[in-house]
Amino acid sequence: MIAATKRKVLDGMNRRYIYGRVPLLHTIIFLIEMAVAARLAAKFNTYYAEKPVLTTMVTNAVLGGVADTVAQLITAFRHRSQQRSLEDNDFISIEIEDLDKQRPPVVGESGYIKTAPPPFDFERLTRFMAYGFFMAPIQFQWFGFLSRAFPLTKANPTTPVFKRVAFDQFIFAPFGLACFFSYMTIAEGGGKRALAQKFRDVYLPTLKANFVLWPAVQILNFRVIPIQFQIPFVSCIGIAWTAYLSLTNSSEES
């Protein structure tokens, strides 16, 4: 009995080591993306002066990839924490199981089936990068429209900023979220039913979360940031937002 208990303890410790490791592939991909983003940042003005739309598209794609990688890292670490919690329960249940050999183990006790940490989802990463890439020209035209429709003046710079924010949040934000969830659902192979369910379950909560974060960000963006940096600024701030969207979309998918 003692030998069997020791084997179970060692097996549990080995599993805890395996599930406790930092997801190496996720981290490597994140570091590569950050290196590319740093390169883009260093040469952004030069690239933007030559090809503004393409530069914006590539920047959006890279930052969208960073955001989804962050989301996948969060998911991996969540899985690790849950697994470690279950392993702790296993240590408590080992002696109880030895005392009651006739009772089969149930879920949560020693011997239940462990699930492997989620592998890095390259298809999901590609979807997010493609969305950022193809959405950039629309954002480019939209920001240009706002700057022309509501030009900032030295006499009254505040009112045009609030008009830009109002137009952006009440027109473009609902449209952008609708594009995001529609694109992701279709790219994942979902049909009309899946799309309707996603809009029913997550669209309005996500739009409400948008209204909490983005008005303040856009006030700063339109008031302070030069126009060529406005989309990259939004994309940088949007890393956390896009990670939230990625987690929301993937949780709904699962």
Side-chain angles (χ1 to χ4, degrees), residues 191-237:
K192 293 182 179 179
R193 181 176 299 180
L195 185 60
Q197 181 178 355
K198 186 154 290 187
F199 271 82
R200 182 176 62 250
D201 294 343
V202 300
Y203 178 78
L204 285 179
T206 306
L207 185 60
K208 291 178 182 178
N210 171 89
F211 291 145
V212 172
L213 171 66
W214 284 105
V217 172
Q218 292 292 49
I219 288 174
L220 176 63
N221 190 30
F222 293 135
R223 183 67 180 86
V224 178
I225 306 299
I227 187 169
Q228 70 268 27
F229 296 117
Q230 286 180 358
I231 295 177
F233 174 77
V234 166
S235 297
C236 289
I237 300 297

Side-chain angles (χ1 to χ4, degrees), residues 52-70:
V53 178
L54 180 60
T55 301
T56 304
M57 294 170 73
V58 173
T59 303
N60 250 22
V62 172
L63 294 177
V66 171
D68 182 64
T69 302
V70 169

Side-chain angles (χ1 to χ4, degrees), residues 5 9 11 21 23 47 52 66 86 90 94 98 123 127 129 147 158-159 174 178 193 209 225 253:
T5 301
V9 171
D11 181 60
R21 289 183 299 178
Y47 295 152
V66 171
L86 292 172
D90 276 355
I94 284 173
D98 286 332
E123 291 185 4
R127 288 195 295 268
M129 294 186 72
S147 65
T158 303
T159 300
R193 181 176 299 180
I225 306 299
E253 179 187 359

Side-chain angles (χ1 to χ4, degrees), residues 50-221:
E50 296 176 357
K51 297 180 179 179
V53 178
L54 180 60
T55 301
T56 304
M57 294 170 73
V58 173
T59 303
N60 250 22
V62 172
L63 294 177
V66 171
D68 182 64
T69 302
V70 169
Q72 294 200 47
L73 271 168
I74 293 172
T75 300
F77 278 113
R78 281 180 178 176
H79 184 279
R80 183 189 67 172
S81 298
Q82 293 169 358
Q83 197 66 47
R84 295 177 77 177
S85 177
L86 292 172
E87 292 291 351
D88 289 339
N89 292 336
D90 276 355
F91 281 112
I92 297 174
S93 66
I94 284 173
E95 291 190 7
I96 297 175
E97 184 185 341
D98 286 332
L99 292 174
D100 189 7
K101 292 293 185 181
Q102 302 302 319
R103 182 171 61 85
V106 296
V107 174
E109 293 186 345
S110 179
Y112 83 103
I113 299 174
K114 302 290 191 294
T115 57
F120 191 85
D121 192 338
F122 285 96
E123 291 185 4
R124 174 174 145 179
L125 175 68
T126 302
R127 288 195 295 268
F128 268 83
M129 294 186 72
Y131 176 79
F133 185 82
F134 290 113
M135 196 66 181
I138 300 175
Q139 290 177 297
F140 186 88
Q141 295 298 327
W142 174 251
F143 277 52
F145 162 75
L146 291 178
S147 65
R148 293 190 301 271
F150 309 108
L152 301 183
T153 61
K154 292 183 179 180
N156 185 18
T158 303
T159 300
V161 167
F162 281 102
K163 289 180 179 179
R164 291 187 189 186
V165 172
F167 267 69
D168 184 71
Q169 291 301 297
F170 291 111
I171 297 177
F172 192 81
F175 167 77
L177 283 178
C179 289
F180 172 80
F181 286 121
S182 298
Y183 167 82
M184 289 298 169
T185 304
I186 295 171
E188 291 160 3
K192 293 182 179 179
R193 181 176 299 180
L195 185 60
Q197 181 178 355
K198 186 154 290 187
F199 271 82
R200 182 176 62 250
D201 294 343
V202 300
Y203 178 78
L204 285 179
T206 306
L207 185 60
K208 291 178 182 178
N210 171 89
F211 291 145
V212 172
L213 171 66
W214 284 105
V217 172
Q218 292 292 49
I219 288 174
L220 176 63
N221 190 30

Side-chain angles (χ1 to χ4, degrees), residues 7-22:
R7 284 197 301 271
K8 290 178 182 177
V9 171
L10 291 173
D11 181 60
M13 292 176 67
N14 289 333
R15 287 196 300 264
R16 291 179 73 182
Y17 170 73
I18 292 172
Y19 289 107
R21 289 183 299 178
V22 174

